[in-house]
Amino acid sequence: MSYIEKKYNTKIAEVFDDLSAIEQDILRLFTNKSIEFSDKIAKLCALCTKNVNLILKKFYPEIKQIDDKLKIKSRLKFYYDLIDKLTHYIRCVEEFQKLDDQYYDTIIEFIEEKEDLISGKYTEISTHELTVFYDKKTREDLERVLIEKIESRSKQFFTFGSLEAELKKIARIVGADSISIIDNEEMLKRSEFINNPRAIIHYSVYSTDEELLKKIGRELKGYLVSKGYEAIILLLEISDYSTDRDYLTGSVITNANLNPDK
């Protein structure tokens, strides 16, 4: 292992320690089961995102050992989902100003099960992703499919996971700091822009770059349209959830069913 890799592994461990402290603060706030603390939770969510992005953009690219990459990816996936859940919570508080205790219990349980989720579900997902990326035969198969797509001039997107997973992946690749899927019936009733709305895809960037926000919306809409769904982009507002950065948010409404259990 190179010196720089050892150094960045140490840095990553330090950031994860900071994230663990933040999640415990979040856990304590959620045990109150009150929207009174939603502003504090929003700021902690922003801090989580900032730390995750620090790992992704600065440290993780220098990690070469597969075992280390697997451990880091598995832990990051927990925080991806935590940020999604917190973003969803913040939006629900804004819309309804009251939430059932069961909503709080679900997030409390998620945080308390962190280590089991990381060692089980998230390690399994990360193992598959790394295998796809590094396995030579898989890469050759993907390259062959890519060539066929280009030759046929197909504008269809690839789908290797669930529709929801692909949308989240696209948003993050383009530049979203957080993304969540909202399928609350009361909120959807207010969405009269398309026929039979099934989900609202809410995404955020911690900046004032409106072009980036629009680009994320266009990519998500393009993907959904390529799959035969309707989608409409709504650009929302700039908020001050983060103490040091503006918070720009947007949404895409679609008739795609992003919750297969419903």
Side-chain angles (χ1 to χ4, degrees), residues 202-224:
H202 180 73
Y203 51 93
S204 308
V205 293
Y206 295 102
S207 76
T208 56
D209 188 349
E210 294 188 17
E211 287 306 312
L212 174 59
L213 193 73
K214 293 175 183 177
K215 182 178 180 182
I216 296 168
R218 287 195 296 267
E219 291 293 329
L220 292 173
K221 179 179 178 178
Y223 177 82
L224 288 162

Side-chain angles (χ1 to χ4, degrees), residues 1-258:
M1 183 185 295
S2 67
Y3 167 78
I4 192 71
E5 195 169 354
K6 287 181 181 178
K7 176 182 176 181
Y8 280 179
N9 262 312
T10 301
K11 292 289 186 183
I12 289 170
E14 292 173 355
V15 177
F16 276 135
D17 286 342
D18 291 341
L19 283 165
S20 293
I22 293 169
E23 90 202 20
Q24 290 305 307
D25 288 341
I26 292 169
L27 182 60
R28 282 191 287 272
L29 291 174
F30 265 94
T31 56
N32 293 288
K33 298 182 179 180
S34 171
I35 65 171
E36 177 185 350
F37 302 98
S38 61
D39 286 344
K40 291 182 179 179
I41 290 170
K43 290 178 181 178
L44 290 171
C45 179
L47 194 54
C48 273
T49 302
K50 184 176 181 180
N51 278 283
V52 166
N53 283 339
L54 177 63
I55 293 175
L56 282 173
K57 295 175 182 178
K58 186 172 182 180
F59 302 136
Y60 184 75
E62 298 297 330
I63 304 301
K64 308 302 179 186
Q65 296 291 327
I66 296 298
D67 288 348
D68 291 336
K69 292 178 80 71
L70 177 60
K71 291 176 184 177
I72 296 165
K73 278 180 70 72
S74 302
R75 199 157 289 271
L76 283 174
K77 285 190 177 297
F78 167 80
Y79 288 106
Y80 293 159
D81 282 354
L82 177 60
I83 290 167
D84 283 340
K85 291 178 186 297
L86 295 177
T87 304
H88 188 193
Y89 164 79
I90 293 162
R91 297 306 303 174
C92 286
V93 170
E94 288 180 347
E95 292 290 332
F96 304 113
Q97 293 297 304
K98 185 176 181 180
L99 295 173
D100 189 273
D101 283 357
Q102 187 175 357
Y103 192 104
Y104 294 95
D105 291 337
T106 299
I107 298 180
I108 290 170
E109 183 180 0
F110 176 78
I111 295 174
E112 290 178 339
E113 292 180 351
K114 168 187 169 182
E115 294 304 327
D116 287 339
L117 288 167
I118 290 171
S119 63
K121 172 185 175 181
Y122 295 128
T123 294
E124 183 179 345
I125 294 171
S126 298
T127 300
H128 173 71
E129 290 180 355
L130 287 170
T131 300
V132 168
F133 186 80
Y134 286 100
D135 180 76
K136 182 179 179 181
K137 184 179 184 305
T138 303
R139 291 178 65 183
E140 289 175 349
D141 288 343
L142 292 177
E143 288 172 2
R144 175 182 53 77
V145 173
L146 178 59
I147 291 171
E148 291 176 355
K149 291 280 185 181
I150 293 173
E151 289 179 347
S152 64
R153 297 186 179 182
S154 170
K155 293 184 179 179
Q156 294 292 319
F157 288 77
F158 303 128
T159 301
F160 298 110
S162 67
L163 185 56
E164 178 179 356
E166 289 301 306
L167 289 166
K168 289 182 177 180
K169 180 167 65 177
I170 289 167
R172 289 197 177 99
I173 288 173
V174 178
D177 288 301
S178 64
I179 177 170
S180 60
I181 308 298
I182 302 171
D183 58 4
N184 181 280
E185 290 183 4
E186 289 300 318
M187 293 182 69
L188 290 171
K189 284 179 182 177
R190 306 175 193 177
S191 305
E192 301 175 352
F193 305 99
I194 63 174
N195 292 324
N196 189 30
R198 305 287 294 275
I200 301 172
I201 306 160
H202 180 73
Y203 51 93
S204 308
V205 293
Y206 295 102
S207 76
T208 56
D209 188 349
E210 294 188 17
E211 287 306 312
L212 174 59
L213 193 73
K214 293 175 183 177
K215 182 178 180 182
I216 296 168
R218 287 195 296 267
E219 291 293 329
L220 292 173
K221 179 179 178 178
Y223 177 82
L224 288 162
V225 170
S226 79
K227 294 298 177 184
Y229 299 110
E230 288 185 66
I232 185 168
I233 302 170
L234 293 180
L235 300 181
L236 298 180
E237 75 262 4
I238 298 177
S239 303
D240 58 350
Y241 287 149
S242 174
T243 57
D244 58 346
R245 301 159 73 184
D246 286 326
Y247 185 88
L248 196 60
T249 65
S251 294
V252 172
I253 300 172
T254 179
N255 60 354
N257 182 13
L258 302 182

